[in-house]
Amino acid sequence: MRLALMLLLLSFSFPALSGETNYCFDFDGKESGAKLEQLDGLRSLNGTRSYTFEAWVRPRTQGGGGRGRILDQERSGLTFYLSDDARVGFRPSKDSGWQLSDKGVISFWTWQHVAVSSDGKLLRFFVNGKLITATPFDAALSITSKPVWIGNGVGEDDQPRGFDGWIDDIRVSAACLWTKDFSPPERGIFRPSVSSTVLDVTFDEGPAYKLALDYSTYNAEVLSDEDVRRASAK
């Protein structure tokens, strides 16, 4: 109870978002990570075939095991990650298998917007708003009540899959937002949530805080471990 009260007080002490504030999480590609345990928003997507996962990333390398995780649910199939050969990967459930973009679409030491969007017929991969790969795919999302890691996860070999680099502006939507090329949302500019937004984490609370807030209507909190730094997202 004392811990819950402390987290609640911290959540109300964060400064308001402004155009002058733009931070991100800096992951070391090893053990560092942040954990989301309030899953009402993501759980609302369980069983759906229409969804969008997006984030701004600036990887230094491919990450742990060459497959650093952006989002990864514990002991579940849900995984949004960087895969080998500079690809974007996604798995909505254990039974659906690993889905991959074309090779060579990820750049290192460069900010880029990555997105995966499904309309229940095609799974589409986008980088900086450009449609990279469209794969026939109709598997539903499987989301359990287990915590979801940001910037880390575990591979099928039980080895860490840490993201090596910076992650910013993670957003998950209960809708297929894009089916063709689009202009990605500008990084660091606050986008108000809409009815389809189930998770919206900007990391802009400032470098002194280990908590990041979800600005969707679900109001979840992301708690980072001591190895995660909140860096200026320049």
Side-chain angles (χ1 to χ4, degrees), residues 46-116:
N46 186 48
T48 189
R49 288 173 166 78
S50 182
Y51 52 83
T52 300
F53 287 71
E54 59 178 300
W56 279 93
V57 299
R58 185 178 181 237
R60 285 180 285 254
T61 69
Q62 287 280 159
R67 297 169 183 175
R69 303 314 201 223
I70 300 171
L71 287 174
D72 188 276
Q73 186 166 43
E74 287 185 9
R75 294 186 290 278
S76 169
L78 178 62
T79 310
F80 183 27
Y81 65 108
L82 303 185
S83 190
D84 48 352
D85 298 319
R87 294 185 286 191
V88 182
F90 187 77
R91 185 170 71 162
S93 68
K94 283 187 176 180
D95 296 334
S96 62
W98 306 96
Q99 307 301 313
L100 298 170
S101 74
D102 291 349
K103 297 179 180 180
V105 300
I106 292 297
S107 301
F108 300 112
W109 294 95
T110 300
W111 280 110
Q112 58 230 277
H113 182 269
V114 294
V116 178

Side-chain angles (χ1 to χ4, degrees), residues 21-50:
T21 302
N22 186 18
Y23 293 94
C24 61
F25 272 175
D26 180 0
F27 300 97
D28 63 12
K30 299 176 183 178
E31 300 296 330
S32 67
K35 184 183 290 188
L36 174 67
E37 294 185 310
Q38 299 162 261
L39 299 180
D40 290 349
L42 287 179
R43 285 281 291 164
S44 71
L45 292 181
N46 186 48
T48 189
R49 288 173 166 78
S50 182

